[in-house]
Amino acid sequence: MRYCAGHESEMILPALAEASSPFFRPIKYSLFPPIGLATLAAYLDWDDEVRIIDEHVETLDLDDRPDLVVIQAYITSAYRAYRIADHYRQRGTYVALGGFM
């Protein structure tokens, strides 16, 4: 499948490992939204559907089937990013992964 206009994309910022702690404060991370992903989303065609998901403030739905998944990862969330990427690749979704790793 070739990526072209009109497709569904997801841009994901995986949660840090500490986000699963009951002491985790999502407000701390919601003050710094994933601007890098928003910038990349701006380069897509106007009729592409794009969802930006920050796992620090929103739950990721792994039952969906987007055409493209872009994952922004840091060294502190690399293992989570790899698991998400593997999940979508197994479903035949194109995955782009990058960041400070």
Side-chain angles (χ1 to χ4, degrees):
M1 175 191 306
R2 200 169 135 271
Y3 184 77
C4 60
H7 282 110
E8 181 182 334
S9 303
E10 284 191 3
M11 301 199 169
I12 303 167
L13 179 62
L16 303 172
E18 67 190 31
S20 60
S21 165
F23 302 108
F24 179 71
R25 293 179 42 207
I27 188 69
K28 175 180 174 183
Y29 291 94
S30 65
L31 297 174
F32 304 100
I35 300 299
L37 294 178
T39 302
L40 288 175
Y43 282 98
L44 297 177
D45 289 332
W46 65 271
D47 58 347
D48 286 335
E49 181 180 331
V50 181
R51 288 186 55 226
I52 298 176
I53 301 149
D54 182 347
E55 274 198 308
H56 298 103
V57 294
E58 180 179 1
T59 303
L60 178 61
D61 176 15
L62 292 172
D63 292 327
D64 57 351
R65 291 193 173 269
D67 300 302
L68 172 68
V69 170
V70 177
I71 303 171
Q72 176 182 337
Y74 299 102
I75 192 69
T76 52
S77 64
Y79 289 121
R80 174 74 179 142
Y82 298 148
R83 285 195 307 273
I84 294 169
D86 289 344
H87 169 80
Y88 280 109
R89 276 195 295 259
Q90 288 175 355
R91 299 180 114 196
T93 299
Y94 292 104
V95 175
L97 176 68
F100 298 107
M101 296 185 292

